[in-house]
Amino acid sequence: MTAETGYAGHNLIRSGRTSDPSGRYYTSPELSRSLIERINVPKPQLVLELGSGSGALCAAAASRWQAARLITVDTDKSPSKRQSVHSLGQTPQHIHFVHDALDEDLPNKIGVRLGTVDVAVCNPPYIRPRWRADFGSILEDAGLSGALASLHDAGADLLFLAQNLRLLRRKGKLGLILPDGLVTAERFGGVRRALLRQHLIEQVVQLPRGVFKGTEAQTYLAVLSKMAGETDQLTLRQMGPDGQLSSAVDVPQEFAAKRMDYTFHAQASSAHRVQDGYRRIQVGDALTDVIRGSICSSEIGGFPTAVFHLGDFAKPDGENTIRIVPNRFSLSDSAARMMSSRTHLAWPGDILLARVGRNLHNRLALVVHGPCVISDCIFALRATEEHRERLYRFLESDAGQRALATSAHGVAARFLSKRNVLEIQF
Ligand SMILES: C[S@@+](CC[C@H](N)C(=O)[O-])C[C@H]1O[C@@H](n2cnc3c(N)ncnc32)[C@H](O)[C@@H]1O
């Protein structure tokens, strides 16, 4: 594990990226240079940028590879948005096309044959364009059509990635900025697996939140070498707000297909170490069941018994106290018998967790007094006698809360899936 410098010395968050009113986020010069520096190609002849916007990435590319031919494509005609593209000049070395980058026939439109580009750089738009038949062909050519449960799950980010793959030559390099969904969401697991098997993903760097001005969205920088062998181990790093890169965590292919974010794997790798005399295990191995409540928030008011919901968790109060579900939620034996045919109950010994919400990581309670009804925003973890206390103590600790926070998905509304919980190491 070695520490490396990304673009140290600049505050990436403050100088950040700027966005225009339609929510297109533009890459700052610092981040653009950092991405270009990470692409290890000494003298490319042809460099392409699809969705070039204000031209920050291609300007950094032009400054590093001065002899390269540079082609940029964007649908945006507004000159103010393409200032830097213009400042590069429409020289024989740089040609800009105002065209749809997701046109299946793009190669003919821009005079670039499929499989001939040496380096492609891209910060794709994060939108879901109205589906067209072209998109199916682009995904098919890129070897990604079988990787999605439904082709319509493909947003512009994945389509731009696929179009770049079509245009790149074998062993050509793609440097791109990716949103959280492609990197961590379960529904894109097939895409990650396909990319890892078909290409050499050289590195994924988790960028600081706030690197996009105006949004806390999590983004990543990735460099891929097309069909240069499969990725047996993926190298993950994290970039701090000052541009400094963390040590690397190397993740085997099967784990990288699950998710490619540094924070998750760094936590898991430290959790693998044997500490305090305990061998670390997965939460799933300590449980006999995970129950999700079924009463939604709109039903709670009219429900015949109290329903334990997100607002009922007590605030954390140091690591040594146990937060117990208040007695008013406990059902009598007869009420429990009646309710168990109607909804899912949590039973004494169950550990309750929030499965949604910004602060889900510090919402925790133990059922002690009696069975209780839980809402559909709550998981009840049924641990074996042997592991219950240690699991509760872990989830109450800073490490446990960090593990829950890094396992959750989503930007504003964070949520935990059952699988996220089962895979946490403790
Ligand atoms: C996230 S911005 C990135 C701009 C620039 N590459 C950067 O990093 O600052 C995405 C760009 O893609 C362009 N874009 C969106 N849909 C497009 C399409 N179908 N074809 C070409 N460009 C498109 C937008 O106009 C915008 O300039």
Side-chain angles (χ1 to χ4, degrees), residues 371-386:
C372 65
V373 178
I374 52 175
S375 82
D376 65 354
C377 296
I378 308 289
F379 279 138
L381 311 188
R382 197 153 294 160
T384 59
E385 196 63 62
E386 180 197 356

Side-chain angles (χ1 to χ4, degrees), residues 17-18 20 23-28 32 49-58 73-77 81-82 97-103 106 121-127 129 132 135 156 160 177 212:
R17 296 154 57 119
T18 52
D20 70 9
R24 285 170 291 199
Y25 295 100
Y26 297 109
T27 319
S28 68
S32 301
E49 185 182 2
L50 302 181
S52 49
S54 55
L57 282 178
C58 62
V73 181
D74 202 291
T75 39
D76 196 345
K77 296 186 182 71
K81 307 264 168 55
R82 294 210 317 273
F97 292 88
V98 177
H99 196 78
D100 179 1
L102 298 180
D103 180 352
L106 184 70
V121 292
C122 188
N123 172 17
Y126 303 148
I127 49 171
R132 299 198 312 251
F135 298 169
F160 269 66
I177 291 177
F212 281 78

Side-chain angles (χ1 to χ4, degrees), residues 128-181:
R128 186 175 292 270
R130 187 194 280 267
W131 183 260
R132 299 198 312 251
D134 295 37
F135 298 169
S137 316
I138 291 172
L139 290 169
E140 177 76 38
D141 286 358
L144 293 173
S145 56
L148 287 159
S150 156
L151 284 187
H152 294 241
D153 278 346
D157 43 14
L158 182 55
L159 294 165
F160 269 66
L161 193 165
Q163 183 72 296
N164 276 300
L165 285 173
R166 290 174 87 211
L167 288 154
L168 274 177
R169 69 169 167 79
R170 197 184 184 84
K171 298 200 176 168
K173 307 256 183 170
L174 174 57
L176 79 168
I177 291 177
L178 289 173
D180 197 40

Side-chain angles (χ1 to χ4, degrees), residues 10 29 55 94 223 229 412:
H10 292 266
H94 173 221
V223 180

Side-chain angles (χ1 to χ4, degrees), residues 67-335:
R69 192 153 71 90
L70 181 61
I71 294 185
T72 54
V73 181
D74 202 291
T75 39
D76 196 345
K77 296 186 182 71
S78 157
S80 62
K81 307 264 168 55
R82 294 210 317 273
Q83 235 166 7
S84 346
V85 172
H86 280 243
S87 68
L88 288 173
Q90 294 269 6
T91 62
Q93 214 128 293
H94 173 221
I95 305 176
H96 180 75
F97 292 88
V98 177
H99 196 78
D100 179 1
L102 298 180
D103 180 352
E104 186 187 356
D105 196 32
L106 184 70
N108 285 327
K109 301 288 174 29
I110 63 173
V112 172
R113 279 182 295 117
L114 283 178
T116 56
V117 170
D118 298 302
V119 171
V121 292
C122 188
N123 172 17
Y126 303 148
I127 49 171
R128 186 175 292 270
R130 187 194 280 267
W131 183 260
R132 299 198 312 251
D134 295 37
F135 298 169
S137 316
I138 291 172
L139 290 169
E140 177 76 38
D141 286 358
L144 293 173
S145 56
L148 287 159
S150 156
L151 284 187
H152 294 241
D153 278 346
D157 43 14
L158 182 55
L159 294 165
F160 269 66
L161 193 165
Q163 183 72 296
N164 276 300
L165 285 173
R166 290 174 87 211
L167 288 154
L168 274 177
R169 69 169 167 79
R170 197 184 184 84
K171 298 200 176 168
K173 307 256 183 170
L174 174 57
L176 79 168
I177 291 177
L178 289 173
D180 197 40
L182 281 180
V183 174
T184 64
E186 279 170 34
R187 73 178 184 287
F188 293 118
V191 170
R192 290 189 290 272
R193 184 164 296 107
L195 292 172
L196 288 158
R197 286 193 179 154
Q198 293 167 29
H199 309 286
L200 183 64
I201 305 183
E202 296 179 358
Q203 53 182 302
V204 174
V205 177
Q206 183 164 0
L207 298 173
R209 280 187 192 271
V211 79
F212 281 78
K213 204 172 169 188
T215 169
E216 284 298 296
Q218 179 65 71
T219 52
Y220 303 81
L221 172 166
V223 180
L224 170 158
S225 187
K226 177 177 168 179
M227 296 170 101
E230 64 180 290
T231 314
D232 294 325
Q233 294 253 351
L234 179 62
T235 299
L236 306 178
R237 288 192 181 83
Q238 184 174 41
M239 188 182 282
D242 58 356
Q244 196 76 30
L245 288 188
S246 69
S247 304
V249 171
D250 291 322
V251 179
Q253 186 187 101
E254 55 177 302
F255 292 160
K258 286 201 170 135
R259 46 198 293 170
M260 295 180 169
D261 50 336
Y262 171 89
T263 43
F264 177 80
H265 291 288
Q267 184 274 328
S269 93
S270 65
H272 261 112
R273 289 175 214 135
V274 179
Q275 284 171 4
D276 311 329
Y278 286 112
R279 179 158 263 310
R280 302 248 154 187
I281 60 168
Q282 287 204 326
V283 168
D285 296 330
L287 301 182
T288 56
D289 209 352
V290 179
I291 292 98
R292 175 178 162 180
S294 61
I295 309 299
C296 67
S297 52
S298 60
E299 291 173 289
I300 292 176
F303 203 75
T305 68
V307 177
F308 191 89
H309 190 43
L310 295 175
D312 299 314
F313 286 100
K315 296 235 170 335
D317 184 19
E319 284 192 19
N320 286 323
T321 51
I322 290 187
R323 290 183 268 168
I324 290 173
V325 172
N327 207 1
R328 67 192 164 87
F329 291 97
S330 306
L331 301 175
S332 64
D333 289 350
S334 58

